[in-house]
Amino acid sequence: MDVIETVREMQATAESLRQGGQTIALVPTMGYLHEAHLELMRVGKRHADKLVISIFVNPTQFGPSEDFNRYPRDPEGDLDKAKSVGVDIVFMPPVEEMYPHGFQTTVSVSQLSQHLCGLSRPGHFDGVATVVCKLFNITKPHIAIFGQKDYQQLSIISRMVMDLNMDIQIIGVPTVREPDGLAMSSRNAYLSQDQRPSALCLKQSLDLASRLVEEGHQKASDIKKAVEDLIRSHPYTKIDYVSICDPVTLEEIDHVEKSTLLALAVKVGQTRLIDNCILEVKE
Ligand code: PAF
């Protein structure tokens, strides 16, 4: 497994792989790798000749009062895990390499960024779209793999690829969960032992809403109310949003009449957790 830290070397390596007829899969990450990242990597491995991952905690997607400085980091452990799933190349640039002096260009997927997490994290998705666009230009992948836990991120990246005619196939991988249902996330490391049971309210909410829809409930406000009550019954929780929306445009809807996205963001103590599911309506 090679570890590359400069843009120039990564681009040259990717170019020579392409010249040699090899296909490249990219899994972009911010490190502190866990089982869900490893699953993205296994999918990547199956879809291309060479698997590249990036490990870069991207400062531009964190707001001024967010957790950039304390975001968990474990470069040594990450390299061991990457090796264990057969990653070929780890691209691990320092911040100055990605954002040299004078950097000023932003990719903004304007409408999709206005909903859900975009409302409470202004600028976040511009930071994500910009860094992912850069990572695509640097690692030159044929395929890139993202988790469906970050549904809005996946939608925004798919839209960017479409709008800017990037010749890259985007693959979304279903959310990987802990045995008790909590969606895997590097931020789960922030949860105290006391708070950990409250974090289950997200998956419980998805299950409750799915059950309500299955039983024939359609009114979004009723489903939301049931979910909000469930979340509030857990200590340490503060709802950021409960959204029932169109899975393509992310615009709120009033009635669940076709496949609909339920997306949640809940603070448990200081830790902001997200989760989502598609509410399926029987024909
Ligand atoms: O999902 C993440 O870890 C990040 O948002 C990503 C896609 C690596 C961009 O920094």
Side-chain angles (χ1 to χ4, degrees), residues 28-30 37 56 58 61 128 131-132 135 146 150 153 157:
T29 82
M30 298 207 298
H37 292 114
F56 180 63
N58 173 36
Q61 69 188 76
V128 170
V131 82
V132 170
L135 290 168
F146 296 85
D150 298 295
Q153 169 170 283
I157 288 161

Side-chain angles (χ1 to χ4, degrees), residues 35-214:
E35 187 49 38
H37 292 114
L38 303 187
E39 183 56 22
L40 303 183
M41 292 173 202
R42 290 186 199 107
V43 172
K45 217 69 215 128
R46 289 202 291 274
H47 281 84
D49 301 318
K50 291 287 174 191
L51 174 60
V52 178
I53 71 162
S54 58
I55 298 180
F56 180 63
V57 185
N58 173 36
T60 67
Q61 69 188 76
F62 290 80
S65 60
E66 290 185 358
D67 54 346
F68 174 68
N69 285 319
R70 62 183 197 108
Y71 194 82
R73 290 164 169 88
D74 178 19
E76 301 279 297
D78 287 349
L79 293 180
D80 286 346
K81 286 175 191 152
K83 211 180 268 174
S84 77
V85 290
V87 170
D88 296 292
I89 300 169
V90 180
F91 177 55
M92 220 169 158
V95 172
E96 319 79 73
E97 187 68 13
M98 292 296 277
Y99 297 109
H101 181 69
F103 186 90
Q104 54 190 281
T105 303
T106 300
V107 179
S108 185
V109 181
S110 56
Q111 289 164 33
L112 287 175
S113 299
Q114 274 167 24
H115 305 283
L116 308 179
C117 294
L119 294 172
S120 40
R121 305 187 70 188
H124 168 70
F125 287 115
D126 287 2
V128 170
T130 304
V131 82
V132 170
C133 176
K134 284 168 68 66
L135 290 168
F136 286 172
N137 287 334
I138 296 165
T139 64
K140 307 177 192 254
H142 297 80
I143 290 168
I145 297 106
F146 296 85
Q148 289 172 358
K149 186 191 71 112
D150 298 295
Y151 186 100
Q152 189 174 17
Q153 169 170 283
L154 177 58
S155 303
I156 285 172
I157 288 161
S158 304
R159 189 77 234 179
M160 170 182 82
V161 163
M162 217 180 330
D163 288 353
L164 300 183
N165 307 103
M166 295 173 169
D167 193 8
I168 301 172
Q169 185 193 350
I170 302 298
I171 298 180
V173 174
T175 304
V176 180
R177 298 180 181 279
E178 301 286 355
D180 61 6
L182 179 64
M184 286 196 188
S185 162
S186 303
R187 289 191 170 99
N188 292 349
Y190 296 148
L191 295 166
S192 71
Q193 242 182 341
D194 280 3
Q195 295 166 345
R196 182 65 178 66
S198 292
L200 297 183
C201 71
L202 286 98
K203 176 65 164 73
Q204 289 168 1
S205 298
L206 305 182
D207 292 345
L208 170 64
S210 302
R211 210 163 50 236
L212 290 173
V213 169
E214 221 176 276

